[in-house]
């Protein structure tokens, strides 16, 4: 029930994380879209702000250029304050020809206009007191204090229309006293035309106002039409005495998004779909991984074999299944426990590879046997399998599987006893039968008819094969039971190899196989002479049997530090990869029909492995199918 509750909580968390990520991605996508739209609006506003500033700059520049031409007249009057009308018209006509936006120029001693050019259309301005019409006291004070031009406007002109009035102060050069002003009127229509306001595009909403409030319609003196403003950009034209505001915005209003928003939004949607798909895929993997873990832990808990999880760094036991705890109780707390296997008599096995060393070198071990102390102080045989993993929560671990093989040992013991009994019972009568058949086959009791002689030879050959099988069975039984005596002494490897080659030379000749012995290192090994010869002969016999007629078997050796490897290479069909796990087991033979035809007891390699183990050596091979096989015996060099 608790497991089901945890599973439900996990699935809810998975879906919550999916929805949370999906919601987060949607929020981010909406935010990015809003940010993109806002950025586009700001970009468009910046473009329009640049346009408004450009118009302001052009207007201000045109006004100042027109006023600048009039300063020459003011300078002339300051030198000749008694200027007559003829001289004024000459100067004024020259100035107006240079500044076409000027509507008229007037001289106003003491702020009263006495001279004006052109006179036609402007007579109404003569005698006009500027202080009463368009100059405020503040402007007059600014004019006198700054001695610079002061502007007023736009103003409604007496002669009609609107203009921008500019007044330039004149101070007599000789006395420094204030004389009056030069009054100029700029035609606003011409001024607008000079900067292109009459040529604006239909999409351009523009207004000029003397107020900073666009809703103050009475202050607007120029606009492109009846405009309902939303949020225009502004630019200020600062002139001494007055200030104008430029308002501008698109005729169709400010854009809410870029021109082609679906390109960006489509990309966002695709990104959203990819991220959502990735999240669903990853969470699905997590769900499947959790389900797999639950199944694995279920197998872990219910497995009939003991399973222990150990830390590689500390060797301590992290977790064990119930079978493991039943097998060893609380006696196993570290992987070191399995580095001390015992034999059936309770004595330490010094010739077995250590578990930790094997895992360190190969990352796995399989089929390692030994007796270990179980609860109740009982020796129990176990078969060990192990695997080292480096990705378990950032801590490398070792999975160790312990298989109780007590029943298997009992069956093996019964089988060995049966084989031993049968072998001993068969050996004596078989020796007599084989001897008798040998005498008959060799005509020792008189000549036999041809058919009878042929049958006698077949019977004798098969009796010999049966004798070899019984001898191998007895040897295997002695090796397993530890009853085969070993007398290890120092021997020169070269002598042992040549002796074995000589012993099997006749068999090789019968098979038309050439035994090729290469130069052997002059090393001494500590072995039982007879048993090593038996092991070498087994490998040579197999190599000869599996080699095609007319080929050779190569014998060579190489020293590897403190060990020497004796290699025997044939040029037959090689060993099939699937047969590797069984090749050194008892009664193992290749399945191919041609090899079955070769014959053999299937015990030679198993006996060889046991012999090499007793002499602290190893036997192994390497083979490429179709290119032969190389078997080797590796022995420690005598110190």
């Amino acid at each position: 029930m608790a497991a089901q509750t945890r599973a439900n909580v996990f699935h809810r968390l998975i879906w919550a994380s999916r929805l949370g990520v999906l919601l987060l991605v949607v929020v981010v996508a909406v935010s990015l879209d809003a940010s993109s739209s806002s950025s586009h609006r700001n970009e468009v506003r910046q473009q329009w702000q640049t346009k408004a500033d450009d118009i302001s700059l052009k207007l201000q520049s045109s006004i100042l250029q027109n006023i600048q031409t009039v300063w020459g007249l003011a300078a002339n009057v300051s030198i000749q304050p008694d200027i007559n009308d003829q001289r004024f018209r000459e100067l004024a006509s020259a100035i107006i020809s240079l500044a076409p936006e000027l509507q008229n120029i007037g001289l106003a001693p003491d702020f009263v206009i006495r001279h004006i050019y052109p006179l036609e259309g402007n007579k109404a301005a003569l005698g006009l007191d500027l202080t009463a019409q368009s100059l405020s006291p503040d402007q007059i004070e600014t004019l006198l204090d700054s001695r610079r031009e002061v502007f007023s406007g736009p103003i409604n002109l007496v002669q009609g229309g609107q203009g921008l009035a500019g007044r330039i102060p004149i101070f007599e050069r000789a006395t420094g006293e204030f004389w009056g002003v030069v009054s100029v009127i700029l035609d606003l229509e011409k001024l607008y035309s000079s900067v292109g306001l009459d040529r604006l595009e239909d999409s351009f909403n523009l207004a000029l106002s003397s107020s900073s409030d666009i809703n103050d319609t009475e202050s607007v003196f120029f606009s492109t039409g009846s405009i309902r403003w939303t949020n225009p950009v502004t630019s200020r034209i600062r002139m001494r005495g007055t200030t104008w505001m430029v308002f501008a915005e698109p005729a169709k209003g400010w854009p809410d998004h870029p021109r082609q928003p679906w390109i960006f939004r489509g990309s966002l949607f695709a990104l959203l779909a990819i991220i959502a798909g990735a999240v669903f895929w990853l969470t699905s993997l997590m769900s499947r991984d959790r389900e797999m873990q639950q199944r694995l832990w279920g197998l872990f808990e219910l497995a009939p074999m003991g399973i222990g999880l150990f830390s590689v760094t500390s060797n301590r036991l992290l977790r064990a299944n119930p079978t493991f705890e039943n097998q060893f109780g609380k006696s196993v707390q570290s992987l070191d426990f399995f580095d001390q296997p015992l034999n059936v008599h309770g004595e330490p096995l010094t010739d077995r590879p250590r578990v930790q060393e094997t895992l360190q070198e190969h990352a796995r071990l399989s089929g390692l046997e030994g007796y270990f102390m179980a609860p109740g102080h009982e020796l129990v045989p176990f078969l060990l399998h192990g695997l080292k993993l480096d990705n378990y929560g950032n801590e490398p671990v070792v999975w160790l599987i312990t298989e109780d093989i007590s029943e298997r040992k009992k069956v093996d013991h019964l089988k060995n006893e049966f084989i031993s009994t049968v072998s001993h019972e068969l050996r004596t009568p078989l020796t007599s039968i084989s001897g008798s058949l040998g005498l008959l086959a060799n005509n020792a009791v008189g000549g036999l008819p041809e058919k009878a002689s042929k049958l006698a030879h077949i019977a004798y050959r098969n009796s010999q094969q049966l004798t070899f099988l019984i001898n191998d069975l007895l040897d295997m039984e002695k090796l397993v039971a530890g009853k085969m005596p070993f007398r290890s002494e120092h021997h020169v490897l070269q002598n042992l190899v040549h002796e074995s080659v000589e012993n099997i030379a006749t068999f090789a000749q019968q098979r038309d196989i050439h035994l090729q012995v290469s130069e052997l290192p002059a090393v001494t090994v500590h072995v039982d002479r007879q048993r090593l010869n038996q092991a070498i002969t087994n490998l040579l016999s197999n190599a000869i049997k599996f080699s095609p007629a007319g080929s050779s078997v190569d014998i060579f050796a190489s020293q590897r530090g403190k060990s020497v490897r004796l290699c025997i290479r044939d040029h037959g069909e090689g060993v099939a990869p699937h047969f590797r796990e069984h090749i050194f087991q008892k009664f193992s033979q290749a399945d191919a029909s041609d090899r079955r035809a070769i014959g053999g007891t299937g015990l030679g390699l198993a006996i060889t492995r046991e012999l090499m183990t007793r002499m602290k050596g190893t036997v192994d091979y390497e083979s490429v199918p179709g290119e032969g096989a190389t078997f080797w015996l590796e022995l420690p060099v005598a110190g």
Side-chain angles (χ1 to χ4, degrees), residues 280-529:
F280 271 78
W281 177 66
L282 289 174
T283 51
S284 297
L285 287 181
M286 291 174 60
S287 297
R288 286 198 294 268
D289 182 64
R290 179 177 173 81
E291 290 176 2
M292 185 61 68
Q293 287 184 7
Q294 289 177 334
R295 293 173 184 173
L296 288 176
W297 283 115
L299 292 174
F300 174 83
E301 294 292 334
L302 301 175
M305 295 178 292
I307 304 177
L309 183 65
F310 295 84
S311 167
V312 171
T313 54
S314 63
N315 289 335
R316 64 186 180 87
L317 178 66
L318 301 177
R319 186 167 179 176
N321 70 345
T323 304
F324 188 92
E325 293 177 350
N326 292 334
Q327 290 173 344
F328 301 100
K330 300 296 182 180
S331 58
V332 178
Q333 297 298 323
S334 171
L335 197 58
D336 298 333
F337 177 85
F338 296 98
D339 279 336
Q340 302 169 358
L342 307 174
N343 61 18
V344 68
H345 306 295
E347 299 171 348
L349 288 174
T350 58
D351 58 344
R352 287 289 189 271
R354 292 171 60 87
V355 171
Q356 296 182 55
E357 292 177 355
T358 304
L359 290 172
Q360 188 68 26
E361 183 176 356
H362 303 290
R364 63 175 60 218
L365 64 88
S366 181
L368 192 62
E369 292 187 17
Y371 284 80
F372 297 93
M373 194 66 68
H377 303 285
E378 178 185 1
L379 281 177
V380 178
F382 286 96
L383 190 63
L384 304 182
H385 308 274
L387 178 65
K388 177 183 175 184
L389 296 175
D390 293 329
N391 56 351
Y392 183 84
N394 299 324
E395 180 184 10
V397 295
V398 169
W399 286 95
L400 191 69
I401 299 175
T402 58
E403 183 181 358
D404 187 341
I405 55 174
S406 300
E407 293 301 321
R408 186 190 304 178
K409 287 292 183 181
K410 291 178 182 178
V411 172
D412 285 345
H413 180 68
L414 293 175
K415 181 181 66 177
N416 290 335
E417 284 186 347
F418 172 75
I419 292 174
S420 177
T421 301
V422 171
S423 299
H424 280 90
E425 292 298 327
L426 288 176
R427 191 171 192 179
T428 300
L430 184 60
T431 301
S432 176
I433 293 170
S434 180
S436 301
L437 289 172
L439 292 174
L440 289 173
N442 293 306
N443 297 321
V445 293
L448 295 175
E450 183 180 352
K451 291 184 178 180
S453 178
K454 186 176 181 180
L455 291 174
H457 276 90
I458 294 173
Y460 176 66
R461 186 168 62 249
N462 286 314
S463 68
Q464 287 291 101
Q465 184 68 20
L466 188 56
T467 301
F468 294 150
L469 172 60
I470 291 174
N471 289 335
D472 284 346
L473 287 172
L474 291 174
D475 285 345
M476 196 68 202
E477 190 270 335
K478 289 179 182 179
L479 283 169
V480 172
K483 297 178 181 179
M484 180 175 285
F486 281 82
R487 293 194 300 271
S488 296
E489 297 175 345
H490 285 15
H491 295 280
V492 178
L493 181 64
Q494 293 174 335
N495 298 337
L496 297 177
V497 173
H498 286 296
E499 181 179 338
S500 298
V501 171
E502 290 175 0
N503 292 338
I504 205 167
T506 302
F507 180 60
Q509 291 175 359
Q510 293 173 354
R511 295 274 184 163
D512 191 18
I513 303 298
H514 176 64
L515 299 178
Q516 181 68 41
V517 182
S518 302
E519 185 176 350
L520 303 172
V523 296
T524 302
V525 291
H526 189 70
V527 296
D528 183 299
R529 182 189 189 98

Side-chain angles (χ1 to χ4, degrees), residues 265-279:
R265 291 174 181 175
S267 301
L268 282 180
F269 179 79
L271 181 62
L272 171 64
I274 291 172
I275 294 177
V279 169

